[in-house]
Amino acid sequence: MTPESRFPLADRPRLWGTAVSHYQVEGDDPCDWTEWERAGRTRGGACGRAVGGWARYEEDADLARDAGANAFRFSISWSRVEPRLGHYNDAALDRYSRFIDHLIKIDVEPVVTLFHYTHPQWFHERTPWTSTESIARFAEFTARVAERIGDRVRVWIPLNEPLVFLLAGYFDGQIPPGISDGRLLPKVFDHLMAAHCAAAAAIRERSPDAAIGVAHNMVAFAPERHGSFLDRMLAKIAHRCYNRGVLEAFGSGKWDFLLPPTTRVRGHREELTKSLDFFGVNFYSRLHLRCPGKERFIGEFRYLDAARRGLTDNGWEIVPDAFEQILHEASAIHLPLIVSENGLADASDRMRARFLQEHALMLARTPVHGYLHWSLLDNYEWLDGFGPKFGLYEVDRVSMSRRPRPSVKTFRTLGRQFLARPLAQRSAGEALRSL
Ligand code: FCB
């Protein structure tokens, strides 16, 4: 069976579009993250009105369309839909439903994410991810959403970056629920996988032809000193655990990897292998690792401008070659790939056009069904607040007006080329390693 043979979108045009998430654009959405801001746990301050996206979704979709997009990835706010445990807010669901009608009217494919880091305020107290109840709650939330919009949405991503959430929420405690306890990692990972499966089943029940994926954050890892055996080994281990752990979980239904410093995350869920129609890759950059580290013996990582293509405004290395390697790596799962996020913080827009061109080149060499650029708009970048500017469109946060950056033109041209080109073919022997 080829990766395409059971892909529900195989006979449709590929996707070229943009991505946002609810909390980062909508504004005024009380949830666990709002509490986090109140407690002073973000470096960049509070989200507040964000970029006023809740009232401007249609206008923003039109901007994406003007930029040549035929797909728009966004997420549904769980806290809006279920503000109190078991109480669903029809008005919020109606709002998303109207937006989806608009997307369809302008010929833009909605790509719907259900979990993008934030939770309703009651969640961590009442049904945290450490309890099996979390799985049922997420499935029920998904079912409500799918009942309302499943007749029109064909592309779903139940979970955005489960591993990033696991590490930041339960290991280093940087984001809600702010727990630092390595012993919880195996259980929470298992529950996230189960929640994905339950959500996929809830979607398929209401929308049998839906294409379901996961958005996995993948990072290129390199030894800081190529001559150092330990640096090389650490880079290999990081790759194996961070990138491949999730790939293997979805590819084989089994996982077994280490998380720092020495937690073994091991488990299996047979149903995972049947829960995906495509694999979503969120790719941004490369980390250089050294072992022992200068401060942490076990190892340290940092961004370096090793590819000589510059660092983004938030210091991430721009490294298109690594994007190609990561896509090769991801193709080992033998599922259609969609780049569910890729982009850069570049307020001056001096680097964005070249970044787009060089990353799009990699798409021409890999069979990829879609590319969703992060992001359409400057938005609230979690712990960093409104500092990093990821938008193809610049946002004035006083008037909330949007203005295209010059690189929108490049994005449009590349989109046209991407959509006109047949899917890149690769010989079976090339890079596709079985899991
Ligand atoms: C990804 C997140 C997204 C955004 C980008 C820059 O990891 O999914 O919300 O913050 O990074």
Side-chain angles (χ1 to χ4, degrees):
M1 190 164 66
T2 68
E4 281 72 37
S5 62
R6 64 183 163 110
F7 184 43
L9 301 177
D11 56 349
R12 300 187 189 280
R14 288 197 283 168
L15 307 177
W16 179 264
T18 57
V20 296
S21 88
H22 65 281
Y23 196 72
Q24 295 177 273
V25 297
E26 288 179 359
D28 303 317
D29 176 13
C31 62
D32 60 343
W33 195 280
T34 330
E35 297 296 317
W36 202 242
E37 293 163 0
R38 220 169 274 147
R41 303 290 298 269
T42 63
R43 293 185 289 270
C47 180
R49 296 191 299 152
V51 291
W54 184 242
R56 290 174 179 75
Y57 265 132
E58 287 76 5
E59 183 191 312
D60 289 341
D62 292 348
L63 295 179
R65 181 79 213 145
D66 290 348
N70 72 359
F72 191 103
R73 178 180 171 211
F74 66 103
S75 57
I76 305 277
S77 164
W78 190 354
S79 37
R80 285 191 197 276
V81 171
E82 193 180 357
R84 286 182 296 133
L85 176 58
H87 292 263
Y88 292 89
N89 176 358
D90 287 337
L93 284 169
D94 285 349
R95 172 71 189 99
Y96 287 119
S97 177
R98 284 200 306 280
F99 175 47
I100 285 158
D101 284 342
H102 181 77
L103 286 171
I104 290 167
K105 194 173 93 198
I106 63 170
D107 244 344
V108 170
E109 186 82 50
V111 177
V112 172
T113 304
L114 292 164
F115 172 77
H116 202 123
Y117 298 163
T118 73
H119 306 78
Q121 278 165 334
W122 48 264
F123 180 85
H124 304 297
E125 280 270 298
R126 308 281 298 278
T127 64
W129 287 114
T130 45
S131 82
T132 49
E133 186 55 22
S134 57
I135 304 162
R137 293 324 309 173
F138 187 65
E140 181 57 27
F141 157 63
T142 303
R144 297 285 175 138
V145 174
E147 251 152 45
R148 191 72 187 81
I149 62 175
D151 55 337
R152 285 154 294 153
V153 174
R154 293 188 291 217
V155 193
W156 296 81
I157 300 179
L159 300 181
N160 180 65
E161 299 187 345
L163 194 59
V164 172
F165 167 66
L166 180 76
L167 286 168
Y170 286 87
F171 174 68
D172 62 24
Q174 280 200 46
I175 70 170
I179 293 171
S180 261
D181 184 350
R183 287 167 308 176
L184 299 178
L185 298 178
K187 186 190 275 180
V188 173
F189 187 77
D190 179 49
H191 291 173
L192 287 167
M193 294 302 100
H196 165 89
C197 293
I203 294 166
R204 288 215 175 108
E205 203 181 311
R206 288 150 189 93
S207 185
D209 298 329
I212 296 174
V214 62
H216 176 36
N217 180 279
M218 295 184 77
V219 173
F221 295 101
E224 186 173 318
R225 299 158 303 178
H226 285 268
S228 155
F229 171 74
L230 287 178
D231 290 10
R232 288 201 310 271
M233 202 166 76
L234 189 60
K236 263 199 188 138
I237 295 173
H239 174 67
R240 160 81 189 75
C241 298
Y242 190 87
N243 292 326
R244 289 186 68 94
V246 169
L247 264 172
E248 286 176 1
F250 282 96
S252 69
K254 295 193 200 108
W255 58 92
D256 187 356
F257 55 93
L258 289 178
L259 287 179
T262 52
T263 308
R264 187 167 181 189
V265 180
R266 186 159 60 140
H268 59 93
R269 284 199 178 261
E270 185 55 40
E271 66 271 34
L272 266 183
T273 56
K274 298 192 191 76
S275 71
L276 277 199
D277 301 292
F278 68 90
F279 195 81
V281 175
N282 290 2
F283 173 78
Y284 288 90
S285 189
R286 170 164 74 180
L287 282 170
H288 298 264
L289 308 179
R290 76 149 53 212
C291 175
K294 289 178 183 151
E295 274 152 38
R296 283 178 40 203
F297 183 74
I298 187 151
E300 283 167 7
F301 52 83
R302 60 184 176 136
Y303 297 104
L304 292 170
D305 186 14
R308 299 263 172 266
R309 278 179 155 61
L311 298 174
T312 67
D313 291 352
N314 52 346
W316 296 356
E317 182 185 12
I318 298 178
V319 51
D321 287 350
F323 184 39
E324 189 186 15
Q325 283 159 23
I326 287 290
L327 292 173
H328 274 249
E329 210 31 73
S331 66
I333 195 168
H334 291 292
L335 281 173
L337 299 182
I338 290 182
V339 177
S340 32
E341 287 180 28
N342 172 242
L344 77 166
D346 177 20
S348 68
D349 206 42
R350 276 199 294 265
M351 296 177 284
R352 193 171 278 101
R354 178 168 164 196
F355 177 100
L356 283 164
Q357 276 155 354
E358 293 187 339
H359 284 73
L361 198 65
M362 303 307 157
L363 302 176
R365 300 187 192 159
T366 329
V368 165
H369 279 269
Y371 175 86
L372 304 170
H373 187 73
W374 188 277
S375 182
L376 176 68
L377 305 166
D378 290 343
N379 59 46
Y380 179 73
E381 183 44 40
W382 305 114
L383 296 171
D384 292 328
F386 291 99
K389 309 287 189 216
F390 276 90
L392 288 168
Y393 287 81
E394 186 179 350
V395 179
D396 174 334
R397 289 201 54 257
V398 178
S399 65
M400 294 297 182
S401 62
R402 279 84 162 124
R403 209 172 53 168
R405 291 203 161 93
S407 54
V408 165
K409 258 174 109 177
T410 308
F411 183 75
R412 197 182 298 119
T413 308
L414 292 169
R416 229 178 274 134
Q417 292 166 359
F418 178 79
L419 295 174
R421 214 173 32 228
L423 200 66
Q425 295 299 329
R426 267 205 271 148
S427 66
E430 217 188 330
L432 296 174
R433 277 178 288 144
S434 289
L435 288 168

